[in-house]
Amino acid sequence: MIDRRTFLESTAAAAGLSGLSGLFPRSPAPAAPPPSHTLLAFRLEEATIAQLQEGMKAGTWTARGLTELYIARIEALDPQVRSVLEINPDAGATADQVDAERRAKKLRGPLHGIPILLKDNIATADKMATTAGSRALLGATVPRDATVAKRLRDAGAVLLGKTNLSEWANFRSSHSTSGWSGRGGQCRSPYALDRNPSGSSSGSGVSVAANFCAAAIGSETDGSIVSPSSCCSIVGIKPTLGLVSRAGIIPIAHSQDTAGPMARSVADAAILLGALTGADPRDDATAASAGKALADYTKFLDPNGLKGARLGLPRTKLYGYSAKVDALMDQAIAVLKQAGAVIVDPADIATVGQFDDAEFDVLLYEFKADLNAYLADLGPGAPAKTLTDLIAWNSAHKEAELPYFGQEIFERAQAKGPLTDQAYIDALARCRRLSRTEGIDAVMEKYQLDALVAPTNAPPGLIDLVNGDSGGGSDSTPAAVAGYPHITVPAGYTSGLPVGISFFGRAWSEGTLIRLAYAYEQATKLRRPPRFLPTADLGAA
């Protein structure tokens, strides 16, 4: 049986090609790094949302000016990493509109005028395409904005463009290369251009790390926000299932899918999360967030937030796959203790590894049902309106869509029956029982924990379009299958390659996790911007 790491986003090679106003030809190798002054001269490098707001308030910047600076940065550097598929043709007009509102003293909130990039599985009813990285959906029109996109517009954000991703959120082939899409080609790590940034929200992670935007939106089924965030030395938040609407987002599986923020700091991720939350009649799962969703998570940004916190280390299967990663975690644990946290070691999740096969079955069933429902809602120009159509389209366009790996997962999903099948019902029940009641909930209750802490995943792997992803450790599955929140923060580097630390816990505990992650971030401040090196510096820390 295929395990999770062979079919879903993990930590391995990535592939992506970026087009700012169309499709660029595939490039087998990155361009030479730009002169160092090109990187150092960028006025907005590492700028936070608060700093951008201060600059606009002071008249130093305008939303139009910020938008133009980020676009120029993308045009100069993105051809090396291929993280941005297209720039929004309406970005300038939107910036002008929110600038006019600012002059009229009609501010919408902390995202007013802030340029944000969206993963290319988030529908926008504008001039941009929504394709999940597949050429099969080029030319298809969506009936309306995804709720996430609408809420960002309502908050005054400038939707800057769409980012590359692992095609179909890395749910097409068991031999895929993370970060590759037929539309975009190979996305590359800005820390070492011969390595991948992980998937499936690879382009969102790279664009944030490379300062191509203030922040970005990713989506996750199992690892797709936290893994590229870890591999790009940024902060990623995978929310509780139902905190953020999935309406209008190209799906894998409704029992695990969620969108979430990706940013360079915990504060920025918290600001972005607050703009996304809330009940949505287009997504039944969000009804559960009533009374739990907040519009402002910045109140949890406490630099002393680790004091007295009880943190468990689930060592079995989530640690021990890399001596270098474990060494970084030893340093992180020492920081947590020094900041006043109580460490429970070990605090193992007894059921880890027992629901991987059941998870895959659930995803196969739900992918067929959920994707067919999404495709049926597209405009009449869509080349594919069912999963069967997609399989046929890919087969007819092998050179563009199947040059490196196939579509076995598509075919396995198509062979599944309806969601009334007892096999699906049993697999879903097993996943929920083992990940929730007998998994995360059990260990947190046993040790009275505020959160569980583990390395997010291994450092970025080498790009390998022949063999596909090489695998590596990951801690994403328990929280992903449970539908529970998970946040990752930079924990350091090995050979100059990023590694993240995860805080995850029970449903609706985003505030607690943000408090813990922020206190750790402020105690360490480990994030370093990338240098677009051609390969890893094996002698570096």
Side-chain angles (χ1 to χ4, degrees), residues 288-478:
S289 72
K292 302 179 181 73
L294 301 177
D296 182 8
Y297 286 88
T298 61
K299 66 181 181 181
F300 297 102
L301 301 177
D302 179 3
N304 298 311
L306 284 163
K307 189 172 294 185
R310 290 182 60 81
L311 305 177
L313 308 186
R315 290 200 178 265
T316 299
K317 296 185 182 294
L318 303 187
Y319 288 71
Y321 52 81
S322 165
K324 292 182 178 180
V325 170
D326 284 347
L328 289 175
M329 284 303 299
D330 288 343
Q331 296 172 22
I333 292 163
V335 171
L336 297 174
K337 290 178 178 177
Q338 188 173 11
V342 177
I343 303 299
V344 179
D345 184 10
D348 288 326
I349 303 170
T351 56
V352 167
Q354 297 180 22
F355 45 85
D356 287 5
D357 290 349
E359 177 193 14
F360 192 27
D361 276 343
V362 168
L363 300 190
L364 289 170
Y365 271 102
E366 293 187 2
F367 182 69
K368 179 182 179 180
D370 296 351
L371 186 63
N372 280 339
Y374 176 88
L375 294 173
D377 202 32
L378 296 179
K385 298 302 290 286
T386 66
L387 178 56
T388 299
D389 293 343
L390 280 177
I391 292 170
W393 195 96
N394 287 341
S395 296
H397 299 82
K398 289 182 179 179
E399 285 193 14
E401 282 294 332
L402 308 176
Y404 306 119
F405 50 88
Q407 53 181 340
E408 320 87 69
I409 292 177
F410 271 20
E411 291 160 352
R412 290 185 66 174
Q414 180 57 35
K416 291 294 186 183
L419 299 185
T420 53
D421 276 4
Q422 193 62 43
Y424 164 73
I425 294 169
D426 291 346
L428 181 61
R430 178 177 176 83
C431 283
R432 289 180 170 169
R433 173 174 57 84
L434 293 178
S435 66
R436 296 177 182 178
T437 312
E438 298 177 19
I440 292 174
D441 292 342
V443 68
M444 294 192 70
E445 179 67 26
K446 178 178 181 180
Y447 296 112
Q448 294 297 293
L449 301 175
D450 293 292
L452 293 159
V453 177
T456 309
N457 49 252
L462 287 165
I463 293 169
D464 186 349
L465 291 169
V466 176
N467 299 305
D469 285 359
S470 59
S474 170
D475 71 352
S476 65
T477 295

Side-chain angles (χ1 to χ4, degrees), residues 4 8-9 119 121 169 199-201 217-229 236-239 241 246 249-250 252-253 255-260 262 456 474-481 484-488:
R4 186 191 64 81
L8 211 55
E9 45 279 357
K119 186 177 179 179
N121 61 352
S200 70
S201 303
I217 304 297
S219 69
E220 175 163 331
T221 304
D222 187 339
S224 285
I225 288 174
V226 296
S227 182
S229 294
I237 299 178
K238 184 203 82 74
L241 188 77
R246 289 87 50 86
I249 300 177
I250 298 174
I252 290 182
S255 65
Q256 292 183 207
D257 288 353
T258 182
M262 301 172 75
T456 309
S474 170
D475 71 352
S476 65
T477 295
V481 176
Y484 288 179
H486 184 169
I487 181 168
T488 182

Side-chain angles (χ1 to χ4, degrees), residues 263-274:
R264 288 181 293 273
S265 69
V266 176
D268 284 357
I271 290 170
L272 197 51
L273 180 63

